[in-house]
Amino acid sequence: MRRILTFLSDFGSNSPYPAVVRAVAAGISEAQLIDITHEIQAHDIRQGAFVLWCTARYYPAGTVHCAVVDPGVGTQRRGLILTAGEQYFVGPDNGLLSAAAHSLGIPSAYEITNSPYVRSAIASTFHARDVFAPVAAHLANGVPLEKLGFPITDWTRPDYDFQGGRFLKESRELQGQVIYIDRFGNTITNIPAKLVQEHMSFDQELLLRRHTKEIPVRLRQSYGFAHHHELCLVFDSHDLLEIAVREGNAQEKLGFQVGERVTLRLA
């Protein structure tokens, strides 16, 4: 079975950079090349980490993920390989890879070395082309990790809590934070569906706190069960609680930003 090699970056699909990275990888490996996305917001490591966390679990064993959101390119930050769940993650050691690897198991980490498996001339501004794509392609070809780097234990583990959230019994509140806003303006929280289901049912009303206001909102089975332009709550495809507006834009309506606290009180 042919291995899969994925790519994720903040380069922008209309720039030449994704095509260059794919060309370098294709010159080394016959792996199936798949673009996850190149539309991560510029320099937004957390957003890239979330998208990689969402997608990695659906790929088969042996998949190699080359992910680059790298505002520290050209500095002393390290190149990293993480492996967990029989998958591999290649990119900068800045927290981008950590959540996805942890979602598959307990990761092992390797620092990438300047070896025959990277390009001989490394540009200070394009490590995706000169370091990460070649290493990922060689991994897809079956080159052992020990030939690509050496084991480390002090790799970057950011505090990205993509499945947090809690219920406060005394105040009957669900609390979490916004972790992602998609192109529809759906505001995704880190409150797991399972936690919500323990304390409420569909069509039950809650009060969503926004600054000093409490806004009535109901949990719906999906967008189609909400009224036209109704502000509602749904469970997204990753079993997280999402604030949405049917055929509208919740982010524009409420103004939530990534990292902002979300509080829902049972009415």
Side-chain angles (χ1 to χ4, degrees):
M1 180 177 175
R2 189 162 61 135
R3 282 198 175 187
I4 294 172
L5 174 52
T6 78
F7 299 95
L8 174 147
S9 78
D10 60 348
F11 295 158
S13 299
N14 292 327
S15 79
Y17 310 126
V20 170
V21 171
R22 285 171 57 91
V24 169
I28 297 169
S29 176
E30 294 184 355
Q32 180 182 357
L33 306 182
I34 296 177
D35 291 303
I36 294 176
T37 184
H38 297 288
E39 296 301 321
I40 300 300
Q41 291 292 318
H43 318 303
D44 195 335
I45 297 168
R46 179 177 178 144
Q47 186 187 91
F50 176 75
V51 173
L52 193 60
W53 174 82
C54 287
T55 55
R57 71 193 75 176
Y58 298 103
Y59 284 90
T63 297
V64 180
H65 303 280
C66 181
V68 185
V69 179
D70 194 15
V73 63
T75 67
Q76 293 300 307
R77 73 95 188 89
R78 299 175 296 189
L80 184 68
I81 304 169
L82 293 181
T83 180
E86 298 183 73
Q87 295 190 42
Y88 304 88
F89 301 85
V90 180
D93 181 19
N94 60 9
L96 177 64
L97 313 176
S98 180
H102 272 291
S103 73
L104 300 176
I106 300 174
S108 298
Y110 291 77
E111 179 177 348
I112 296 171
T113 57
N114 291 329
S115 70
Y117 298 102
V118 302
R119 284 167 59 91
S120 56
I122 299 177
S124 62
T125 57
F126 205 180
H127 287 188
R129 176 194 67 190
D130 298 336
V131 178
F132 303 133
V135 166
H138 285 298
L139 266 176
N141 284 349
V143 173
L145 285 164
E146 292 75 14
K147 290 189 176 182
L148 298 167
F150 57 89
I152 58 173
T153 59
D154 60 340
W155 47 281
T156 303
R157 299 167 174 84
D159 187 22
Y160 295 154
D161 189 4
F162 294 147
Q163 282 188 311
R166 58 180 179 164
F167 178 72
L168 301 182
K169 185 176 180 180
E170 298 79 11
S171 56
R172 291 172 53 80
E173 288 182 346
L174 287 161
Q175 292 187 352
Q177 67 172 192
V178 177
I179 56 174
Y180 186 72
I181 299 170
D182 69 17
R183 69 180 298 270
F184 300 100
N186 297 323
T187 301
I188 299 167
T189 78
N190 67 343
I191 302 174
K194 182 179 179 181
L195 178 63
V196 179
Q197 291 168 326
E198 291 174 357
H199 301 284
M200 62 178 298
S201 56
F202 289 119
D203 300 323
Q204 183 175 344
E205 184 176 274
L206 291 89
L207 296 173
L208 171 63
R209 188 174 302 150
R210 177 70 172 138
H211 299 314
T212 58
K213 296 182 179 179
E214 288 192 325
I215 305 165
V217 60
R218 292 184 184 274
L219 177 67
R220 302 300 191 186
Q221 287 179 264
S222 70
Y223 310 111
F225 285 85
H227 302 298
H228 188 61
H229 283 178
E230 177 190 344
L231 177 70
C232 62
L233 304 172
V234 297
F235 298 139
D236 80 346
S237 57
H238 308 291
D239 291 325
L240 296 172
L241 188 68
E242 174 183 304
I243 306 166
V245 172
R246 179 178 175 179
E247 297 171 64
N249 189 305
Q251 200 277 332
E252 290 180 357
K253 185 177 182 70
L254 297 176
F256 276 113
Q257 301 298 319
V258 171
E260 191 171 342
R261 181 176 173 177
V262 173
T263 301
L264 292 155
R265 182 167 62 86
L266 274 65

